[in-house]
Amino acid sequence: NLDVSDRDAQTSHRTVTVPGFINIATFAANSSNVIKGPAELKEVTRLSLESGFTYCQLMARSLAGPIISDPTSLKSAFSASQDSAYTNFSFTVAGTANNVDTIAQTANEVSALFLPFRELKNKVSTVAALLKNWPIEKQVIAEAKTSDLASVMLLASLQNRSIHITGVSNKEDLSLIMTVKDKDSKVTCDVNIHSLFVSQDDYPEALFLPTKEDQDFFWQNLDAIDAFSIGALPTLLAQITGNKVDVGLGIKDALPLLLSAVEEGKLTIDDIVERLHENPARIFNIPEQLDAAVEIDLDHSFKHTKRWSPYTKGGLNGGIERVLINNETVVLSGDLVSSAPTGKLITTAKVIPGIPATPSSANET
Amino acid sequence: NLDVSDRDAQTSHRTVTVPGFINIATFAANSSNVIKGPAELKEVTRLSLESGFTYCQLMARSLAGPIISDPTSLKSAFSASQDSAYTNFSFTVAGTANNVDTIAQTANEVSALFLPFRELKNKVSTVAALLKNWPIEKQVIAEAKTSDLASVMLLASLQNRSIHITGVSNKEDLSLIMTVKDKDSKVTCDVNIHSLFVSQDDYPEALFLPTKEDQDFFWQNLDAIDAFSIGALPTLLAQITGNKVDVGLGIKDALPLLLSAVEEGKLTIDDIVERLHENPARIFNIPEQLDAAVEIDLDHSFKHTKRWSPYTKGGLNGGIERVLINNETVVLSGDLVSSAPTGKLITTAKVIPGIPATPSSANET
Ligand SMILES: [Zn+2]
Ligand SMILES: [Zn+2]
Ligand SMILES: [Zn+2]
Ligand SMILES: [Zn+2]
Ligand SMILES: [Zn+2]
Ligand SMILES: [Zn+2]
Ligand SMILES: [Zn+2]
Ligand SMILES: [Zn+2]
């Protein structure tokens, strides 16, 4: 149990120290672009580290479609990420109708197969073939909703394999997941943090957001939500509302939003650590970063950056006081103090059929 | 194997004798109406018997919605069916959001739980609750499509129970069913006979019909189709095209359509008997009617009745020469010759948990 400290005598701020958070669905649209990729990854991982994340699992798509889907694009991503990350990180690979036969070639070098929503919509036989070809020990992340959600869980269940549903966005979907979880512990899910705080009431044009009713259902069934993610939601929302689309939208405001819920008694610090650290590490087989520690300040006033945030109601408090890696302060008062991007690519060891993959030991951030 | 006889010397017609067919999805919109029900059931079962069906399993809905959904409506249906059926028959009961808690009360008196498409669309938790409450040994018929298809198969698979999908209407759905059948033999399905012969090319306004591409896929994957049904499709099609809606649409032309496919070499008589007799009997636990025999005449020219048929291209041949019950001719040359509706209601014996239900012995038609 994580206990919030007594108030600091000097500042009267409450603090709590937690393990490094895992940004399980990090959106970086240019990951595989050797020109634009490095600066973008620096920015996204810097924002992540400043927000308490010491590990970023990168989504394999941009808003336009898959960006990492074969050994060539993965190699470009590796190249672009060289000395460009402030956190440890791993890539995922997108399954599509075009890479069914080659998808397994990348399995040892990514942390999961990523099944993008739009490209695989109603493509049940493609999804079936992708799952068939993907090593059973490696995780699968599905963006599936409604029809595709039921079918991907059905296919995973028939294979008796793990599947993680990312960005659950409505009540019916969470309800179906809950029904499956009752019988099958291999299914896990996350919701995008912003979808716990903004709804279609706030942005009627954003039908991908939950309704207020969906959102209430999420809060009533937090136990069924294994992880919290950021994902592409803040970026997509900025785009369709005509706000400025910056790299790394939604990262800085994620934890203050969750802390505001702690303040309201809707969530505990433990709930957050389970969903941003313990469960993500277990679900994605991410090695513990025992040398990382994050000090949260619950009363630190949240400094809005120039970045747009989907949550515009203000009044958020709480943030990162300090991030320590190997006893060295790399973030102080929410700002990076270490200038070198020393985050390392984490790849799992060779998958041996029948034997769970052993992650290689993590290098320090 | 069913061999087609040599041509009859006198008429030069080829004949074959088959067991009594089972009309697994018999549409009779007034089944539970004690005023309109008896005449309608007489008509529907007469048409069925004249078409080679010696058993009718009644759908629990009209075009407007569920008609049999509780002990009261089932009792009305029993009453309306008294001395009004020319074939043996059984009822199904519709599951809805309103009868989750009482649905099991009717289990011993119907042949299956019927999950109507429209009423249960996107109601995953309702479907989950209905399946949970329905005895595991009793069959479930789902009209589910797309999203609801995957979720109902997922729920059935989690319960390790049988499920029959009726009226599969597109390629993607059959493909998903095929994927599931590969791993789980408890899933079965049927297609409506007319959807093998008419498509959206013929009726662009009828989006519930398969496209030509879907239809081709059905023909290429006949092995995956366990049964043929008639269902509500011909009636619905008549309604939306402004044709006259008569009782029993689609029954008389069903077999001639299938026989035309035999003529074209796309189907064998064996294929038909498997899908209109053997598999339906097994899937719905319907007792063998050993005293029934149906003589099909492949060359008998198909007499169009005044009823509208979805298939308007003409040129159909083949039909029922004779139906024999207990060595007595009840249908001759496609017309009823026995005037008494002596069909019996077939109910299964009391379901004992864990022990498969034993059907009571069928009475003669
Ligand atoms: Zn402070
Ligand atoms: Zn840990
Ligand atoms: Zn502070
Ligand atoms: Zn801000
Ligand atoms: Zn003849
Ligand atoms: Zn038989
Ligand atoms: Zn004849
Ligand atoms: Zn006709």
Side-chain angles (χ1 to χ4, degrees), chain A residues 143-176:
Chain A
E143 286 191 304
K145 297 177 198 305
T146 61
S147 63
D148 301 290
L149 172 62
S151 61
V152 80
M153 288 199 292
L154 176 62
L155 295 169
S157 154
L158 291 171
Q159 282 197 14
N160 197 28
R161 78 179 305 148
S162 294
I163 190 143
H164 178 79
I165 311 300
T166 192
V168 177
S169 60
N170 65 68
K171 174 183 169 168
E172 291 72 24
D173 286 357
L174 183 58
S175 174
L176 179 60

Short mmCIF file of all heavy atoms in Angstrom, two decimals, chain A residues 143-176:
data_model
loop_
_atom_site.label_atom_id
_atom_site.label_comp_id
_atom_site.label_asym_id
_atom_site.label_seq_id
_atom_site.Cartn_x
_atom_site.Cartn_y
_atom_site.Cartn_z
N GLU A 143 -7.35 -2.65 -30.83
CA GLU A 143 -8.12 -1.41 -30.67
C GLU A 143 -9.59 -1.67 -30.92
O GLU A 143 -10.36 -0.73 -31.07
CB GLU A 143 -7.64 -0.37 -31.70
CG GLU A 143 -6.31 0.25 -31.41
CD GLU A 143 -6.07 1.44 -32.34
OE1 GLU A 143 -6.13 1.28 -33.58
OE2 GLU A 143 -5.81 2.54 -31.83
N ALA A 144 -9.96 -2.93 -30.97
CA ALA A 144 -11.30 -3.32 -31.42
C ALA A 144 -12.43 -2.73 -30.61
O ALA A 144 -12.33 -2.56 -29.39
CB ALA A 144 -11.40 -4.84 -31.38
N LYS A 145 -13.52 -2.43 -31.32
CA LYS A 145 -14.74 -1.94 -30.70
C LYS A 145 -15.93 -2.75 -31.23
O LYS A 145 -15.85 -3.33 -32.31
CB LYS A 145 -14.95 -0.46 -31.05
CG LYS A 145 -13.83 0.42 -30.52
CD LYS A 145 -14.02 1.87 -30.95
CE LYS A 145 -12.73 2.65 -30.82
NZ LYS A 145 -12.12 2.62 -29.48
N THR A 146 -17.00 -2.75 -30.51
CA THR A 146 -18.27 -3.39 -30.89
C THR A 146 -18.06 -4.73 -31.61
O THR A 146 -17.55 -5.65 -31.02
CB THR A 146 -19.15 -2.42 -31.72
OG1 THR A 146 -18.45 -2.07 -32.90
CG2 THR A 146 -19.49 -1.17 -30.92
N SER A 147 -18.48 -4.81 -32.85
CA SER A 147 -18.42 -6.07 -33.59
C SER A 147 -17.03 -6.67 -33.55
O SER A 147 -16.85 -7.87 -33.32
CB SER A 147 -18.78 -5.85 -35.05
OG SER A 147 -17.85 -5.00 -35.65
N ASP A 148 -16.04 -5.84 -33.79
CA ASP A 148 -14.68 -6.34 -33.89
C ASP A 148 -14.14 -6.74 -32.53
O ASP A 148 -13.30 -7.62 -32.43
CB ASP A 148 -13.81 -5.27 -34.53
CG ASP A 148 -14.33 -4.92 -35.91
OD1 ASP A 148 -14.21 -5.76 -36.80
OD2 ASP A 148 -14.88 -3.83 -36.08
N LEU A 149 -14.66 -6.11 -31.50
CA LEU A 149 -14.25 -6.48 -30.15
C LEU A 149 -14.69 -7.91 -29.83
O LEU A 149 -13.89 -8.73 -29.38
CB LEU A 149 -14.87 -5.51 -29.14
CG LEU A 149 -14.67 -5.89 -27.68
CD1 LEU A 149 -13.20 -5.90 -27.32
CD2 LEU A 149 -15.44 -4.94 -26.76
N ALA A 150 -15.95 -8.20 -30.08
CA ALA A 150 -16.44 -9.55 -29.78
C ALA A 150 -15.70 -10.58 -30.62
O ALA A 150 -15.30 -11.63 -30.12
CB ALA A 150 -17.95 -9.63 -30.04
N SER A 151 -15.47 -10.28 -31.89
CA SER A 151 -14.82 -11.29 -32.71
C SER A 151 -13.36 -11.49 -32.33
O SER A 151 -12.89 -12.62 -32.30
CB SER A 151 -15.01 -11.01 -34.20
OG SER A 151 -14.45 -9.79 -34.57
N VAL A 152 -12.65 -10.43 -31.99
CA VAL A 152 -11.24 -10.62 -31.64
C VAL A 152 -11.12 -11.37 -30.31
O VAL A 152 -10.23 -12.22 -30.14
CB VAL A 152 -10.45 -9.28 -31.64
CG1 VAL A 152 -10.65 -8.49 -30.39
CG2 VAL A 152 -8.97 -9.55 -31.86
N MET A 153 -12.03 -11.12 -29.38
CA MET A 153 -11.98 -11.86 -28.12
C MET A 153 -12.37 -13.32 -28.34
O MET A 153 -11.83 -14.23 -27.71
CB MET A 153 -12.88 -11.21 -27.07
CG MET A 153 -12.31 -9.89 -26.55
SD MET A 153 -13.05 -9.39 -24.97
CE MET A 153 -14.72 -9.04 -25.48
N LEU A 154 -13.33 -13.53 -29.25
CA LEU A 154 -13.72 -14.89 -29.59
C LEU A 154 -12.55 -15.65 -30.19
O LEU A 154 -12.24 -16.78 -29.78
CB LEU A 154 -14.88 -14.83 -30.59
CG LEU A 154 -15.40 -16.14 -31.16
CD1 LEU A 154 -15.94 -17.05 -30.06
CD2 LEU A 154 -16.49 -15.88 -32.20
N LEU A 155 -11.85 -15.03 -31.14
CA LEU A 155 -10.71 -15.68 -31.78
C LEU A 155 -9.60 -15.96 -30.77
O LEU A 155 -9.00 -17.03 -30.77
CB LEU A 155 -10.19 -14.81 -32.93
CG LEU A 155 -11.16 -14.62 -34.11
CD1 LEU A 155 -10.66 -13.52 -35.05
CD2 LEU A 155 -11.38 -15.91 -34.86
N ALA A 156 -9.34 -14.99 -29.90
CA ALA A 156 -8.30 -15.17 -28.88
C ALA A 156 -8.69 -16.30 -27.92
O ALA A 156 -7.87 -17.13 -27.56
CB ALA A 156 -8.06 -13.88 -28.12
N SER A 157 -9.96 -16.33 -27.56
CA SER A 157 -10.45 -17.36 -26.66
C SER A 157 -10.34 -18.75 -27.29
O SER A 157 -9.95 -19.71 -26.63
CB SER A 157 -11.89 -17.02 -26.26
OG SER A 157 -12.61 -18.16 -25.91
N LEU A 158 -10.63 -18.85 -28.57
CA LEU A 158 -10.51 -20.13 -29.25
C LEU A 158 -9.05 -20.61 -29.28
O LEU A 158 -8.78 -21.79 -29.27
CB LEU A 158 -11.04 -20.03 -30.69
CG LEU A 158 -12.54 -19.83 -30.83
CD1 LEU A 158 -12.93 -19.52 -32.27
CD2 LEU A 158 -13.32 -21.03 -30.33
N GLN A 159 -8.14 -19.65 -29.32
CA GLN A 159 -6.71 -20.00 -29.31
C GLN A 159 -6.17 -20.10 -27.89
O GLN A 159 -4.99 -20.40 -27.70
CB GLN A 159 -5.90 -18.93 -30.04
CG GLN A 159 -5.96 -19.00 -31.54
CD GLN A 159 -4.81 -18.18 -32.15
OE1 GLN A 159 -3.85 -17.78 -31.51
NE2 GLN A 159 -4.92 -17.94 -33.44
N ASN A 160 -7.02 -19.78 -26.92
CA ASN A 160 -6.59 -19.77 -25.52
C ASN A 160 -5.38 -18.87 -25.32
O ASN A 160 -4.44 -19.20 -24.61
CB ASN A 160 -6.29 -21.21 -25.06
CG ASN A 160 -6.25 -21.30 -23.54
OD1 ASN A 160 -6.89 -20.51 -22.85
ND2 ASN A 160 -5.46 -22.21 -23.02
N ARG A 161 -5.41 -17.70 -25.96
CA ARG A 161 -4.28 -16.79 -25.88
C ARG A 161 -4.67 -15.48 -25.19
O ARG A 161 -5.83 -15.13 -25.09
CB ARG A 161 -3.71 -16.49 -27.27
CG ARG A 161 -4.52 -15.48 -28.08
CD ARG A 161 -3.87 -15.22 -29.42
NE ARG A 161 -2.49 -14.81 -29.25
CZ ARG A 161 -1.51 -15.08 -30.11
NH1 ARG A 161 -1.77 -15.75 -31.22
NH2 ARG A 161 -0.28 -14.68 -29.89
N SER A 162 -3.65 -14.77 -24.74
CA SER A 162 -3.87 -13.47 -24.11
C SER A 162 -4.25 -12.44 -25.16
O SER A 162 -3.80 -12.50 -26.30
CB SER A 162 -2.60 -12.98 -23.44
OG SER A 162 -2.27 -13.82 -22.37
N ILE A 163 -5.07 -11.49 -24.72
CA ILE A 163 -5.35 -10.35 -25.60
C ILE A 163 -5.62 -9.14 -24.71
O ILE A 163 -6.25 -9.25 -23.65
CB ILE A 163 -6.53 -10.63 -26.55
CG1 ILE A 163 -6.62 -9.51 -27.59
CG2 ILE A 163 -7.85 -10.78 -25.81
CD1 ILE A 163 -7.01 -9.98 -28.94
N HIS A 164 -5.09 -8.01 -25.15
CA HIS A 164 -5.32 -6.77 -24.41
C HIS A 164 -6.11 -5.82 -25.30
O HIS A 164 -5.70 -5.52 -26.42
CB HIS A 164 -3.98 -6.13 -24.01
CG HIS A 164 -4.16 -4.84 -23.29
ND1 HIS A 164 -4.49 -4.79 -21.95
CD2 HIS A 164 -4.11 -3.55 -23.71
CE1 HIS A 164 -4.62 -3.52 -21.58
NE2 HIS A 164 -4.39 -2.75 -22.63
N ILE A 165 -7.23 -5.34 -24.78
CA ILE A 165 -8.07 -4.41 -25.52
C ILE A 165 -7.71 -3.00 -25.08
O ILE A 165 -7.82 -2.67 -23.89
CB ILE A 165 -9.57 -4.67 -25.27
CG1 ILE A 165 -9.91 -6.17 -25.43
CG2 ILE A 165 -10.43 -3.80 -26.18
CD1 ILE A 165 -9.64 -6.76 -26.78
N THR A 166 -7.28 -2.18 -26.02
CA THR A 166 -6.87 -0.83 -25.65
C THR A 166 -7.93 0.21 -26.03
O THR A 166 -8.62 0.06 -27.03
CB THR A 166 -5.50 -0.47 -26.29
OG1 THR A 166 -5.01 0.73 -25.68
CG2 THR A 166 -5.59 -0.26 -27.80
N GLY A 167 -8.06 1.21 -25.17
CA GLY A 167 -8.97 2.31 -25.48
C GLY A 167 -10.43 1.94 -25.50
O GLY A 167 -11.17 2.39 -26.37
N VAL A 168 -10.86 1.15 -24.54
CA VAL A 168 -12.29 0.80 -24.47
C VAL A 168 -13.08 2.10 -24.37
O VAL A 168 -12.74 2.97 -23.56
CB VAL A 168 -12.57 -0.09 -23.24
CG1 VAL A 168 -14.06 -0.39 -23.11
CG2 VAL A 168 -11.76 -1.38 -23.33
N SER A 169 -14.10 2.24 -25.19
CA SER A 169 -14.71 3.56 -25.29
C SER A 169 -16.20 3.61 -25.02
O SER A 169 -16.81 4.67 -25.10
CB SER A 169 -14.45 4.13 -26.69
OG SER A 169 -15.01 3.27 -27.67
N ASN A 170 -16.81 2.49 -24.70
CA ASN A 170 -18.22 2.57 -24.34
C ASN A 170 -18.61 1.46 -23.38
O ASN A 170 -17.89 0.48 -23.20
CB ASN A 170 -19.11 2.57 -25.60
CG ASN A 170 -19.00 1.28 -26.36
OD1 ASN A 170 -19.44 0.23 -25.88
ND2 ASN A 170 -18.38 1.31 -27.54
N LYS A 171 -19.75 1.66 -22.81
CA LYS A 171 -20.31 0.80 -21.77
C LYS A 171 -20.53 -0.64 -22.25
O LYS A 171 -20.21 -1.60 -21.55
CB LYS A 171 -21.65 1.46 -21.40
CG LYS A 171 -22.52 0.75 -20.48
CD LYS A 171 -23.82 1.57 -20.32
CE LYS A 171 -24.83 0.71 -19.58
NZ LYS A 171 -25.98 1.49 -19.13
N GLU A 172 -21.09 -0.79 -23.46
CA GLU A 172 -21.37 -2.12 -23.97
C GLU A 172 -20.07 -2.91 -24.15
O GLU A 172 -20.02 -4.10 -23.85
CB GLU A 172 -22.11 -2.04 -25.32
CG GLU A 172 -23.53 -1.50 -25.23
CD GLU A 172 -23.61 0.00 -24.96
OE1 GLU A 172 -22.65 0.74 -25.27
OE2 GLU A 172 -24.64 0.44 -24.40
N ASP A 173 -19.05 -2.24 -24.64
CA ASP A 173 -17.78 -2.93 -24.85
C ASP A 173 -17.17 -3.36 -23.51
O ASP A 173 -16.71 -4.48 -23.37
CB ASP A 173 -16.80 -2.04 -25.63
CG ASP A 173 -17.17 -1.94 -27.11
OD1 ASP A 173 -18.14 -2.61 -27.53
OD2 ASP A 173 -16.49 -1.20 -27.84
N LEU A 174 -17.19 -2.45 -22.54
CA LEU A 174 -16.63 -2.83 -21.24
C LEU A 174 -17.45 -3.95 -20.62
O LEU A 174 -16.91 -4.88 -20.02
CB LEU A 174 -16.55 -1.62 -20.29
CG LEU A 174 -15.89 -1.94 -18.95
CD1 LEU A 174 -14.47 -2.49 -19.12
CD2 LEU A 174 -15.87 -0.71 -18.05
N SER A 175 -18.75 -3.89 -20.83
CA SER A 175 -19.62 -4.91 -20.29
C SER A 175 -19.30 -6.29 -20.89
O SER A 175 -19.23 -7.30 -20.19
CB SER A 175 -21.06 -4.49 -20.56
OG SER A 175 -21.94 -5.49 -20.17
N LEU A 176 -19.09 -6.31 -22.20
CA LEU A 176 -18.73 -7.58 -22.86
C LEU A 176 -17.38 -8.08 -22.34
O LEU A 176 -17.21 -9.27 -22.05
CB LEU A 176 -18.68 -7.38 -24.38
CG LEU A 176 -18.28 -8.61 -25.20
CD1 LEU A 176 -19.24 -9.77 -24.99
CD2 LEU A 176 -18.19 -8.25 -26.69
#
